[in-house]
Amino acid sequence: MSAGNSEDELLADVCRTLVRAGFDLAAAGADGDGLRVRRRADAVVVTWEPAPGPALAHRATEHEGMRMALRHALTVILTQTGHAVQADPASGEVQVRRLP
């Protein structure tokens, strides 16, 4: 199996896992809020962004609390389904790899 296929399979597996867990995934390139899953050379990256707009600046603290809770939930779910997960609070990313 080529590395490209393995990376595509990891992306598909992460998406299936999150949908089964009840998460709605935002379409690639979509505006607005949502959970986004994308492939990177060395991992699958999951992020969440709130909808843009004037209310965003006033609710930054609330959004950070939501990001923190979401990172925790993603870490637990993806770890329990056999993935190596690393959360990066500074970027808001959750990086997912297959366990060796």
Side-chain angles (χ1 to χ4, degrees), residues 10-100:
L10 178 59
L11 177 67
D13 185 41
V14 168
C15 289
R16 279 191 304 270
T17 298
L18 295 176
V19 168
R20 276 194 313 264
F23 290 100
D24 290 326
L25 304 181
D31 288 334
D33 64 345
L35 198 61
R36 289 174 173 67
V37 182
R38 64 178 163 57
R39 193 176 86 175
R40 215 171 54 191
D42 61 338
V44 168
V45 177
V46 184
T47 57
W48 175 79
E49 290 301 322
L56 181 60
H58 297 0
R59 297 173 48 190
T61 302
E62 177 182 325
H63 290 306
E64 186 49 38
M66 291 171 63
R67 280 190 186 99
M68 188 169 54
L70 184 58
R71 279 192 305 270
H72 177 72
L74 292 170
T75 300
V76 169
I77 291 164
L78 291 166
T79 299
Q80 289 179 345
T81 57
H83 298 92
V85 181
Q86 181 177 3
D88 181 359
S91 69
E93 293 182 345
V94 174
Q95 300 168 7
V96 185
R97 293 173 179 82
R98 288 206 189 277
L99 288 174

